[in-house]
Amino acid sequence: MIGSIRKHSNWLWAIIVTAVIASFVIWSDARPGRTSFDFGGADFGKLYGRPITRDQLLKARTAAAVDDALRGGRRGASADNERAVAELMVLQAKVKELGIEVGDVAVGKYLRENFKDPATGAFNYDTFIQNLQQRTRIDEATFLEHIRNQVAIQHLVETVGSASRMVTPREVAADYRRDNERWVTTAALFSLSNHLAGVVAKPEELSRFYSNRIAFYRIPERTVLVYVRFDATNHLAEAEALIAKEAGFTNRLEEFYRQRGAEAFRDENDKVLAKEAALRKIRDEALTQGALGLARQEAIRFNDELGALTNVTPSAFALTASKFKVPLRSTTPFRNGERIAGLDNVQGLAQRVASLNAEPHYTEPLDGEGFVVIPMLQTTLPPEVPSFEPVRERVVQDHRMDRARAAAREAGEKFHAAAEAGLAAGKRFADIAAAQKATLVNVPEFTAASQNVVGLDSRLNLYLVRNAAQGAKPNGVARYTDSSDGGFVLYLEKKEPVSEEALKQALPSALAEARQQRRMAVFQNWFAAEFQKSGAMASSKSTAPAGLPGQ
């Protein structure tokens, strides 16, 4: 289905089928359990030893909701939302304490710089606000107040991080020269494949290899689940019937299409769909989500049936499955953190399985892709150490790789010694490699700051190559380095320094970036201490403010 529709699939059915179109963000939502800050009572906790007011909390929650909506709704977990609200209360309190005020000119500048059209660089305020309201339901006044707060927090960062100005051009220039000098290197490869054929293991060697590494073959504790699965496809006809009964369904399709705008609906090639095609896609998605909602209702009824039992055992779970006429399935044994076959895409399953050793031994209904599932712990298999025969093939392969790796290392270290002696005697590295019958590969030039090198041989790892180069002198070789393919010896021909002209051009932006990094480091250290001192969320373990403006 269309990606832009899928993003909203959790609430699309409710938007189209129900009579009320819910807002994307509900600012005054005060339902218990939404966050640890419940609007139901008068006690909202304390900030710096003073009671948190209702207005103070509402302002922070609104700011967190607007920020989340502008970022595309990426903050999903309630704990993340609680943390964001707590952080914003601290930031807003410090802004007020320091008397930071933001005028309209600063707000306008922020809007032009951060919300301009990426293609044209232009910023049309009226069009932007209209699109914003259609996309997120954020009203203009709330949005502008949020931007004013963002600019104020930026000023706070600037104030606290003022020590960043102590970064001097000389420091940055030295760092730039070091990070951007170009290294010219060649690698001599010693691949495992060149030595595997020569490995022949006697039975006693394999037995000894297994005995010495027996802990490596130990099978850890494994879990087996039984589960029932409620598929959306079983409810498509029922969902279709509900749509047929829904008055004004077609009008709501049209309204949803209008609100989202034609640009939101694209095909697999990212081309805008014709209106009729887009409406069909929306309807198909609504049908699928409606069927999934009906499957979820059936799963909830199953869950309620289990909840009425005094003791839910695997046999009671099986009897309930029989009563509901859904097949009882079971997983193959799996280790903690392993993929669970058949339940790959079930949301939150790994975390829930970890808690199934405590009562109850089953979970609430969990969503998968096109189905809802209720899993139950059937058994836990204790750790075991297999005998040699069941793992013989694995032992043989491990032994071959181990011996081949040792042989590659021996050849590489022998070559390293020969290369050092040859270079000291004035010989060329290529000639030394030819005499030693070593395989050479060219390494594209790179720097200490390189994160990606186009054309680097797939058998080489840039991180390992970079580390090896740092340990070598020009016209010298680094020590043998182990890699996934075996290993290599790196020859550093030379280091080409940064030209003065290149340094002159790069220095202004490098200086600005270095000062920004120092500013954020100073601010985050300060904020960690302030957040702890404020008591806004004593249980939080994180220390850096989430979603700072400009990050």
Side-chain angles (χ1 to χ4, degrees):
M1 302 300 290
I2 307 171
S4 58
I5 297 178
R6 185 185 287 114
K7 283 197 304 183
H8 305 284
S9 58
N10 289 337
W11 46 271
L12 181 61
W13 176 254
I15 285 179
I16 294 176
V17 177
T18 60
V20 179
I21 299 179
S23 295
F24 183 79
V25 177
I26 305 176
W27 310 116
S28 59
D29 188 353
R31 287 172 290 170
R34 288 283 291 192
T35 72
S36 60
F37 306 108
D38 185 4
F39 279 97
D43 184 6
F44 306 129
K46 292 185 177 181
L47 190 69
Y48 292 107
R50 295 186 292 274
I52 296 172
T53 66
R54 184 183 299 271
D55 288 344
Q56 194 175 11
L57 179 55
L58 180 59
K59 184 178 179 181
R61 288 188 60 177
T62 299
V66 175
D67 184 63
D68 194 36
L70 293 175
R71 292 166 181 264
R74 292 182 296 178
R75 186 183 294 118
S78 61
D80 291 341
N81 188 58
E82 293 170 12
R83 173 74 184 185
V85 172
E87 288 174 349
L88 283 163
M89 282 196 296
V90 175
L91 291 169
Q92 290 167 354
K94 299 309 291 187
V95 165
K96 183 177 181 180
E97 178 186 321
L98 294 175
I100 297 174
E101 296 183 358
V102 177
D104 293 342
V105 173
V107 171
K109 181 181 178 183
Y110 184 93
L111 289 172
R112 288 191 298 274
E113 291 178 351
N114 292 276
F115 294 96
K116 60 187 177 184
D117 187 323
T120 66
F123 176 68
N124 186 310
Y125 178 77
D126 292 334
T127 302
F128 173 81
I129 290 297
Q130 182 182 4
N131 290 338
L132 177 75
Q133 290 174 339
Q134 290 179 353
R135 180 167 52 87
T136 66
R137 303 289 182 172
I138 302 173
D139 64 76
E140 181 178 7
T142 300
F143 172 72
L144 290 178
E145 181 62 22
H146 176 73
I147 297 302
R148 201 175 300 275
N149 287 333
Q150 291 290 90
V151 178
I153 293 170
Q154 278 192 342
H155 288 333
L156 177 64
V157 173
E158 294 286 341
T159 302
V160 174
S162 58
S164 62
R165 297 187 182 92
M166 296 173 62
V167 178
T168 66
R170 179 176 294 181
E171 288 179 81
V172 175
D175 289 343
Y176 188 85
R177 284 192 177 96
R178 182 198 64 229
D179 292 342
N180 291 277
E181 63 181 2
R182 304 198 68 79
W183 295 342
V184 181
T185 62
T186 305
L189 292 183
F190 300 89
S191 298
L192 297 178
S193 57
N194 295 336
H195 301 275
L196 280 170
V199 178
V200 179
K202 297 178 181 179
E204 58 270 22
E205 289 176 337
L206 287 176
S207 179
R208 184 166 57 251
F209 182 82
Y210 168 75
S211 299
N212 291 339
R213 293 162 53 94
I214 196 166
F216 182 75
Y217 298 101
R218 175 181 177 272
I219 301 173
E221 181 179 88
R222 291 163 296 161
T223 301
V224 178
L225 301 177
V226 290
Y227 63 95
V228 287
R229 170 173 165 158
F230 303 87
D231 289 287
T233 52
N234 295 335
H235 298 274
L236 286 173
E238 188 179 353
E240 187 72 64
L242 286 174
I243 286 178
K245 294 178 183 177
E246 186 66 32
F249 177 77
T250 302
N251 292 338
R252 277 189 286 280
L253 284 179
E254 293 271 0
E255 175 65 13
F256 182 72
Y257 176 78
R258 186 191 66 78
Q259 287 184 353
R260 296 295 300 158
E263 289 288 328
F265 304 100
R266 297 174 178 270
D267 62 16
E268 290 75 10
N269 298 317
D270 202 35
K271 292 183 179 179
V272 176
L273 288 169
K275 180 179 178 180
E276 291 305 316
L279 291 174
R280 284 196 300 272
K281 290 290 186 180
I282 298 171
R283 188 187 190 282
D284 289 345
E285 182 74 4
L287 178 65
T288 300
Q289 289 301 313
L292 184 60
L294 294 170
R296 191 177 294 112
Q297 289 179 13
E298 186 179 4
I300 289 171
R301 288 193 293 273
F302 187 98
N303 188 68
D304 290 343
E305 186 86 10
L306 293 178
L309 300 176
T310 304
N311 183 27
V312 181
T313 61
S315 59
F317 192 88
L319 285 172
T320 307
S322 176
K323 179 179 178 180
F324 275 72
K325 298 181 180 179
V326 289
L328 187 68
R329 312 174 190 225
S330 64
T331 66
T332 55
F334 61 90
R335 305 173 188 178
N336 183 33
E338 272 188 336
R339 166 183 172 272
I340 306 176
L343 301 175
D344 306 66
N345 299 308
V346 176
Q347 300 173 12
L349 181 61
Q351 296 88 338
R352 299 311 311 273
V353 167
S355 64
L356 286 181
N357 285 320
E359 291 285 352
H361 297 308
Y362 64 94
T363 77
E364 75 281 3
L366 301 174
D367 287 346
E369 287 192 3
F371 64 89
V372 181
V373 66
I374 300 178
M376 179 177 187
L377 176 66
Q378 183 180 51
T379 187
T380 299
L381 304 177
E384 63 176 287
V385 177
S387 60
F388 175 74
E389 285 303 323
V391 293
R392 170 186 283 273
E393 288 303 314
R394 183 180 166 195
V395 173
V396 169
Q397 292 301 317
D398 290 346
H399 178 266
R400 292 185 70 227
M401 293 297 290
D402 183 74
R403 293 297 88 209
R405 185 171 295 281
R409 185 181 301 110
E410 182 180 353
E413 290 175 347
K414 178 182 176 182
F415 174 79
H416 173 264
E420 277 195 325
L423 291 170
K427 295 181 181 180
R428 294 173 63 249
F429 181 73
D431 295 336
I432 299 169
Q436 295 289 321
K437 298 182 180 179
T439 301
L440 294 187
V441 294
N442 290 322
V443 179
E445 291 183 10
F446 60 95
T447 70
S450 295
Q451 298 299 315
N452 180 46
V453 175
V454 177
L456 183 66
D457 191 287
S458 60
R459 294 167 292 182
L460 293 172
N461 176 283
L462 177 58
Y463 175 80
L464 296 177
V465 170
R466 209 169 51 207
N467 280 355
Q470 288 173 339
K473 295 179 180 179
N475 195 36
V477 287
R479 298 194 66 84
Y480 177 81
T481 300
D482 281 304
S483 69
S484 59
D485 186 62
F488 63 90
V489 172
L490 191 74
Y491 168 63
L492 176 60
E493 181 182 341
K494 60 182 177 179
K495 295 182 179 180
E496 294 183 344
V498 177
S499 70
E500 290 303 313
E501 181 61 28
L503 176 62
K504 181 180 178 181
Q505 292 181 2
L507 189 57
S509 61
L511 181 60
E513 182 180 353
R515 286 177 172 170
Q516 174 66 7
Q517 289 175 351
R518 177 75 63 86
R519 184 183 301 118
M520 291 309 302
V522 170
F523 177 78
Q524 289 180 341
N525 288 335
W526 171 84
F527 186 83
E530 283 297 323
F531 190 78
Q532 186 71 23
K533 186 167 58 176
S534 73
M537 193 175 177
S539 62
S540 175
K541 295 181 180 179
S542 179
T543 58
L548 285 174
Q551 284 190 301

